[in-house]
Amino acid sequence: MNLLNFVSEFPDESSCRNKFKEYRERVGVVCPVCGYKDHYWKGDKACYECKHCGKRQSLRANTVMHGSHLPFRYWFIAIHLLTSTKKSFSAAELQRQLGHKRYEPIWLMLHKLRGIMGKRDELYDLTEVVELDEGFFTTEIQDEEKEKPLKRGRGSQSKSKVMVMAESIPLEGETTKKGKPRKVGHLKMFVIDDLKSTTIDNVVIENISTDAIIDSDKSTSYTHLKNLVGEHRPKVIPKEEVGKALPWVHIAISNAKRLLLDIHHDIKGEYLQNYLSEFCYKFNRRYFGENLFDRLMVASVTYKNRFRCNCG
Ligand SMILES: [Zn+2]
């Protein structure tokens, strides 16, 4: 959907509200008390009433808009932009474009949408051959760490550790200077607290299919991986060979870093995951085209969002 189509399909608040109601009913309204799926629509109160227990819920309740006072149209514009732009945009930019007084509600809306993007991708396991490595992303130093001397390199307080996994499917063809040709499939990125093997193991258990093959370097953090998947092929990888041995994780890491640097400045470590979730969600659906708006709308009405803002 381009901008002109969007504007003509959703010219005002009521067209957005009606469409949102249509999506909710298409996915199915579920009673939060008894789980029953049949509801009356109470037009005068603008809410659903459970036909079994009588519990009422508003149109926005238990969706991504739960508790939000922003207009439906703001949400639609945000979903449109998130699914139609190649890169991303900042909350400050959207606030300016909407002419909205306050920054926080716009910021929170975007984070909630990024949160459901992450939830959606958690539903799928990576399969076949998976490249795995860690990336170190620059984030804002937390207040309690600011007093301490700055450490350098990987252990630095200004770096967040991210585990990156990319399906990397071997293709037929000649081995070139860059190695055997491989095609990238799906991608996942997770912020992790440390590089302990138990931390890594848990991420792998949650996200990689048990019959997959993992390619990685020979880090001591990866010693248990052979027990968790079909095969683990650890290799000693000299620094200059990383791009050749694990091409897709490294392309993904550098693209994500560039995007974050270009658009969002001074990211707090605690919100980094949401930006990475957006990056992976879009990457994993790069061939969806116009359907992406529809997919994110479905995800928006389906999920009760658990994102909590701790900005006070
Ligand atoms: Zn009920």
Side-chain angles (χ1 to χ4, degrees), residues 31-36 39 50-55:
C31 174
V33 174
C34 71
Y36 206 69
H39 288 76
C50 174
K51 284 188 180 176
H52 180 70
C53 75
K55 168 75 183 172

Side-chain angles (χ1 to χ4, degrees), residues 35-294:
Y36 206 69
K37 289 185 178 138
D38 279 343
H39 288 76
Y40 299 107
W41 170 248
K42 299 274 186 187
D44 53 333
K45 305 239 172 5
C47 68
Y48 292 104
E49 186 179 288
C50 174
K51 284 188 180 176
H52 180 70
C53 75
K55 168 75 183 172
R56 287 180 178 178
Q57 56 178 315
S58 73
L59 184 52
R60 295 172 185 244
N62 305 310
T63 73
V64 71
M65 296 189 199
H66 194 104
S68 166
H69 298 295
L70 293 177
F72 283 94
R73 200 159 182 237
Y74 278 24
W75 285 90
F76 272 56
I77 289 168
I79 292 171
H80 171 65
L81 289 175
L82 281 172
T83 55
S84 66
T85 51
K86 222 171 170 154
K87 293 187 169 178
S88 188
F89 52 91
S90 66
E93 178 63 32
L94 184 59
Q95 181 201 3
R96 242 191 325 272
Q97 297 278 348
L98 291 170
H100 193 72
K101 275 204 303 289
R102 293 180 56 224
Y103 172 75
E104 284 73 18
I106 305 297
W107 177 89
L108 185 59
M109 169 172 71
L110 290 176
H111 270 298
K112 283 183 172 177
L113 289 168
R114 293 184 179 112
I116 58 167
M117 288 176 163
K119 288 241 170 298
R120 213 60 188 176
D121 270 350
E122 280 173 23
L123 299 175
Y124 311 103
D125 280 347
L126 300 177
T127 59
E128 296 188 59
V129 181
V130 179
E131 295 175 22
L132 181 151
D133 205 355
E134 294 117 21
F136 297 86
F137 284 69
T138 306
T139 44
E140 214 177 69
I141 299 170
Q142 287 170 348
D143 287 341
E144 63 266 28
E145 294 282 341
K146 276 186 182 155
E147 307 298 311
K148 300 179 192 167
L150 197 62
K151 289 183 251 172
R152 293 172 67 98
R154 299 185 146 203
S156 165
Q157 298 96 321
S158 66
K159 299 278 182 208
S160 290
K161 300 164 198 72
V162 177
M163 203 163 139
V164 183
M165 296 159 281
E167 287 174 342
S168 175
I169 302 128
L171 296 173
E172 296 291 319
E174 294 285 305
T175 305
T176 65
K177 252 197 264 170
K178 289 185 172 167
K180 271 258 168 226
R182 291 172 168 215
K183 187 174 139 257
V184 66
H186 295 92
L187 176 71
K188 292 193 178 215
M189 294 186 174
F190 288 101
V191 177
I192 48 177
D193 292 336
D194 54 59
L195 301 176
K196 289 179 190 149
S197 58
T198 45
T199 308
I200 308 283
D201 293 351
N202 286 333
V203 179
V204 168
I205 291 167
E206 291 287 317
N207 293 288
I208 299 182
S209 157
T210 49
D211 56 4
I213 298 169
I214 295 182
D215 283 334
S216 73
D217 65 30
K218 239 183 168 161
S219 160
T220 48
S221 309
Y222 302 153
T223 43
H224 304 148
L225 296 191
K226 59 180 184 298
N227 308 323
L228 304 176
V229 292
E231 191 185 349
H232 179 213
R233 305 188 292 208
K235 249 193 252 160
V236 178
I237 306 175
K239 216 172 173 206
E240 62 281 4
E241 298 266 306
V242 167
K244 193 169 139 184
L246 302 169
W248 290 112
V249 284
H250 286 276
I251 290 173
I253 290 170
S254 63
N255 287 351
K257 279 185 180 172
R258 193 174 334 130
L259 183 84
L260 297 185
L261 208 62
D262 280 352
I263 296 161
H264 312 287
H265 313 283
D266 298 331
I267 293 176
K268 286 198 166 72
E270 60 207 291
Y271 302 121
L272 175 63
Q273 182 62 59
N274 282 340
Y275 295 108
L276 297 176
S277 295
E278 179 191 348
F279 178 81
C280 291
Y281 182 92
K282 284 176 156 181
F283 182 87
N284 292 338
R285 289 162 185 76
R286 61 200 177 278
Y287 304 123
F288 276 41
E290 304 203 339
N291 292 331
L292 203 50
F293 179 86
D294 183 69

